[in-house]
Amino acid sequence: GDSVTQMEGPVTLSEEACLTINCTYTATGYPSLFWYVQYPGEGLQLLLKATKADDKGSNKGFEATYRKETTSFHLEKGSVQVSDSAVYFCALGAGGSYIPTFGRGTSLIVHP
Amino acid sequence: NAGVTQTPKFQVLKTGQSMTLQCAQDMNHNSMYWYRQDPGMGLRLIYYSASEGTTDKGEVPNGYNVSRLNKREFSLRLESAAPSQTSVYFCASSESGSEAYEQYFGPGTRLTVT
């Protein structure tokens, strides 16, 4: 079945450091790929998406590129802020069920 | 627009008590979902409703029931709460079809069963 694997957290960075959170997937066909973010005490919200190979999704300074050859969708940001501290979920959508498959989430902690 | 709203925000129950978690969305979405989130387990789908009048089991439906009251509202009922149901519960909604993967989440209900 479909699955998403994310790097274990927490990821701890200083403000203005570079961020990469790894995400790889297994799916039949050609899935759509998503990153969701969950700030403390809140629900998840869609951060960015890509629907086909080589697409780059971007939002709020975050980027992720759909790499079909490596089945990956790594999340990157050049300079993180304390306000980016949150849990980040990679997800995919494939097949006819229309239920997304979520990774387990990666916690990011950014220190001043 | 309020988006997806959930009530209550917090709840403490004793083992064996029942309660209903309420969810409503104002985005005219066809599909609605209930998830639970536990440390180290990520999100797990309890039940979903692809459209008004239909409901289906997700990954962890045991101990729960749902009602799609109308297009806006989707409730989750615990008939006899157990400590294993201590969790954070999220309701979500989405368009149908391929847009269903873009989900909009409520703020969550934090439930403790003692």
Side-chain angles (χ1 to χ4, degrees):
Chain A
D2 299 339
S3 67
V4 173
T5 302
Q6 293 183 234
M7 59 190 291
E8 298 247 348
V11 173
T12 305
L13 295 172
S14 297
E15 204 165 25
E16 298 184 4
C18 294
L19 169 71
T20 299
I21 299 178
N22 291 336
C23 171
T24 57
Y25 67 89
T26 302
T28 53
Y30 301 95
S32 296
L33 300 172
F34 306 85
W35 277 102
Y36 284 82
V37 58
Q38 183 181 29
Y39 297 106
E42 299 184 8
L44 280 70
Q45 55 185 274
L46 182 65
L47 180 61
L48 55 83
K49 69 176 184 179
T51 57
K52 61 184 188 295
D54 300 325
D55 267 2
K56 178 185 283 189
S58 62
N59 187 21
K60 299 183 181 180
F62 290 90
E63 294 182 339
T65 301
Y66 187 161
R67 302 282 188 203
K68 188 169 182 297
E69 62 276 11
T70 54
T71 61
S72 64
F73 193 55
H74 304 323
L75 183 67
E76 299 177 325
K77 188 175 188 185
S79 175
V80 295
Q81 306 300 312
V82 172
S83 57
D84 294 326
S85 297
V87 180
Y88 293 81
F89 291 88
C90 186
L92 71 82
S97 72
Y98 303 120
I99 306 292
T101 299
F102 287 93
R104 293 201 169 185
T106 302
S107 174
L108 171 66
I109 301 169
V110 181
H111 294 293
Chain B
N1 288 352
V4 179
T5 56
Q6 293 183 236
T7 55
K9 284 188 167 54
F10 299 93
Q11 184 71 48
V12 179
L13 290 178
K14 294 188 189 307
T15 297
Q17 288 185 317
S18 62
M19 79 163 294
T20 299
L21 282 64
Q22 306 286 355
C23 173
Q25 53 92 9
D26 63 2
M27 294 172 282
N28 202 37
H29 285 161
N30 285 315
S31 302
M32 297 185 74
Y33 312 79
W34 277 105
Y35 293 91
R36 59 179 289 174
Q37 183 178 32
D38 302 291
M41 300 295 291
L43 282 175
R44 292 183 291 172
L45 183 65
I46 304 170
Y47 271 95
Y48 66 101
S49 171
S51 60
E52 189 179 354
T54 70
T55 60
D56 286 287
K57 294 178 180 178
E59 180 185 355
V60 288
N62 290 347
Y64 305 95
N65 284 300
V66 290
S67 295
R68 183 75 182 266
L69 303 169
N70 47 55
K71 191 171 185 179
R72 288 187 66 246
E73 299 173 286
F74 188 38
S75 63
L76 178 72
R77 183 159 177 84
L78 286 69
E79 291 290 353
S80 179
S84 61
Q85 294 178 305
T86 293
S87 188
V88 182
Y89 291 86
F90 289 100
C91 178
S93 70
S94 71
E95 301 285 3
S96 351
S98 60
E99 297 297 314
Y101 303 126
E102 296 185 35
Q103 300 195 336
Y104 294 79
F105 285 78
T109 294
R110 284 142 185 85
L111 175 66
T112 301
V113 183
T114 62

